[in-house]
Amino acid sequence: MAHNSRACTRLSMLVSKNGWRRTAIINTALAATCGFALLICFAISISQPGASILHPSTIFAGNCTTSARLNLFLHFLINVISTAILASSNFFMQILNAPSRREIDNAHSWLRSLDIGIPSIRNLTHVSKLKFASWLIFITTSLPIHLLFNSSVFETTYTGSRWYLALATSAFTQGATFFPPGASLSPAGSFTSNSGLGYGDHIPLDEYWNTSSAVRQKLASVAEESHSWTLLDSAQCFSETKYGDVVLILNATASEDGWARSDVFTLNPSSNLSTLWDIHVPPNAINSLWFFAPCNVSRERSSSGRDDRCANSCLGAMGLDNDTFRPGEFASLSNDPWVISFFPAVRNHQFTFDNGLKFNDKFDFFRVDHCLAQRIEPTCKVGLSNTLLLVVILSIMIKVIHGGVVTWKLQSTSLVTPGDAIESFILCPDPTTQGLGTLDIKDAQQLELGVRKDWSNTLDRSFTTKVKYRKWKKYLPRLWNIIPYSTWVEKSFIFLAGFVLLSVGFAVSSGSTRNNYADTLDHSNGVLTIDIAPQEYIATLLIANSPQLILSLCYFSYNSLLTQLNVEKEWNTFSVAYQPLRVSYPAGQQVSSYRLQLPYKHGVPLILISITLHWFVSNAVFLFVNEGGYWDTRGGITELNDQFLVADGSLVTIEHSPLFFLLLFITGFLFILVPPLCFASLRVKGDMVAGGWNSLVISAACHVPDSEHIQGTQPPASEYHSFLGEYARRESAETSCYLEDDEANYQKRLDLTRRKLRWGAIPLPKRIRESLDHGDQDILHLGFGGEEHDVSEPIDGQYYM
């Protein structure tokens, strides 16, 4: 019972008061909410007919415009959820690479500094193995969210390839008599030129005469329904692509209603052709149908995307002398007026009729008056991969569980903010930096990067263990001059690499689609030619989603840089006026740390920008699933029907959108490159040592002078302040500071940290003053102090230590 009581008391204190643990609880709860919401979606999904963990579910099937919009919305929702979860992970990762006081002291003993208050990879080599392992768990479980989450929802588009062509008079559509295969006596596929010109897919002649055959039933339905189809002029017949079956209405005939076989062909009496044809196509009856054939259109992809070719198996029947054409250029093949040379086109390619037939040249040419086209409503689908969603849910749940473990069990007190570090170093001054009040970020880097030698009496006599004072030089630099050169090189390299990859993607996408940004929201603008074997499904997912990982790396660097600039700006304000410390567990006049590790005016827009950019990336490069047989399936996945619920012959590959590449480029430039440069161009207002994120700089500024008239005040007797006292004592015990000092002096320093502080010129601390020669004891010290220390701005040319 006592143990449970203490646990409940600790939990209530963590939740009720500000601190990183409270923020951790909020982040864990947020991730848990997202995980359980996705788990509910997963349970509903696998309960659908035909669905299972290994087989996807269909979320929507219907109108393609609605499908495209739903797909965009779901991917936006996915990126909102993933950004929230990754922001939560980023918080825990920053907590875990935030060092404890003991870890800082160990680094300082080797004159190595650690980063405070900013995301830092280099801290990981100095933190405990438990922190490092926990950090790895958070970053590893982020990979499935980056690489799989967006592909868990996919759209299946439909582009039909098979359609029927009829050449007929207008009477054909009004119920007039017709005799298949038509007055041309030419079944589909009868003629195929050497250059590939086609007259439809081959249909045996007896199929036209079999009333139960598929082609005969299709012909009957076209004759019955075509009068209600959309009327298009000849130019529109070439340019429109939203239609299926087509009837070309011909008007250059001997009769308005059609053709008599005896007018078009003369049969040799000595042959038996009359016996064959008279039964099915009477010699003197008017036939309203000239030709009927099933056609096929397919698109063969090129390596560049600019030289794709479309093949149409009915080009010859339509009087066109082209074997293939480029997408979007079909309309340019027509003439005005559109004249079909049906049999001359055949004869030009050395085709000869049967010896028993003689053709009447009067019917060499027909003019197309207009056409009737069947409007089609293809069915598009939005699917959900239950396998990928389950992997994402498991990753989120691991984060949730481990976040709870870190929040509850992390024993060492991490110095998350510079305020935490200032409080710790004032409570327990670090002897390593004693008397180094003028130490700034450049000095800290020289200590770390400079050549080191073992101390011995044989060294140059200019080396000494005594503290030396230095002349102060007033300097109000811009923020970009304070950030180390190595940091700018690192961040610039990452940003530059990201923009180079983005520029390449934008150039390839724009080039392959001829810079056509119209109609780009339906995910059908260009296909990357990547040879994909069926067994390489996972590799395809990784390729399609790798830009998400690259963007997250850029975001991490951007967040780190922006946090570093904010930390330095806030650090510098201590030289202008008395300010309260921003700490994890505020007491007295202290204020709480930011929940997002950044001011809301920067943190919230940064998250919104991240959501937007990730959404743009998910629409710039993505999996392309297409049914209907229009796309050539070479170089794509064609044997994953179960994974995508598509028919045989469908194409699964990687597609790109030039519009979203353009939006990504513009947004990235305006909101990723410009803001940090504008922020970094600001000049600091106070004359102060630079490097507010560096532990050596912070430590050197926290040697507070003793003040006899300071009266320590006992905190109010409450359970929470008792907890804070234990927090401070535990932090002190890590360095044995509390054990070496008496209660009164420790309480004075604790009271000082809870009031407003200022950095500047203050009296020398007792320990430093005692180590100096008598003539140097009037030198002032640079560091933090309270109002009782009469902190003043350092004077240019004056000596300080």
Side-chain angles (χ1 to χ4, degrees), residues 10-17 19-33 88 91-92 400 403-404 406-408:
R10 176 173 178 175
L11 179 61
S12 64
M13 287 187 294
L14 292 178
V15 174
S16 62
K17 298 297 179 180
W20 75 262
R21 295 183 192 271
R22 180 190 178 188
T23 307
I25 292 174
I26 294 173
N27 278 280
T28 303
L30 174 64
T33 301
S88 174
F91 170 82
F92 277 105
V400 171
V406 169
T407 304
W408 187 261

Side-chain angles (χ1 to χ4, degrees), residues 774-791:
H774 182 73
D776 295 335
Q777 293 183 355
D778 293 333
I779 297 293
L780 293 178
H781 176 61
L782 293 181
F784 286 99
E787 294 180 355
E788 67 276 9
H789 293 118
D790 192 23
V791 182

Side-chain angles (χ1 to χ4, degrees), residues 469 761-765 768-782 792 795 798-801:
Y469 47 81
I762 54 177
L764 285 172
I768 301 177
R769 187 170 62 251
E770 290 176 349
S771 66
L772 298 177
D773 296 333
H774 182 73
D776 295 335
Q777 293 183 355
D778 293 333
I779 297 293
L780 293 178
H781 176 61
L782 293 181
S792 61
I795 301 173
Q798 187 68 271
Y799 287 92
Y800 298 97
M801 65 171 55

Side-chain angles (χ1 to χ4, degrees), residues 389-410:
L389 182 60
L390 180 60
V391 174
V392 171
I393 292 174
L394 292 176
S395 299
I396 294 174
M397 290 307 176
I398 293 174
K399 287 180 180 291
V400 171
I401 295 172
H402 199 64
V405 171
V406 169
T407 304
W408 187 261
K409 292 295 185 179
L410 187 61

Side-chain angles (χ1 to χ4, degrees), residues 515-532:
N515 301 308
N516 180 20
Y517 306 111
D519 197 26
T520 53
L521 296 182
D522 62 353
H523 283 187
S524 59
N525 307 286
V527 176
L528 297 176
T529 303
I530 299 178
D531 291 333
I532 303 169

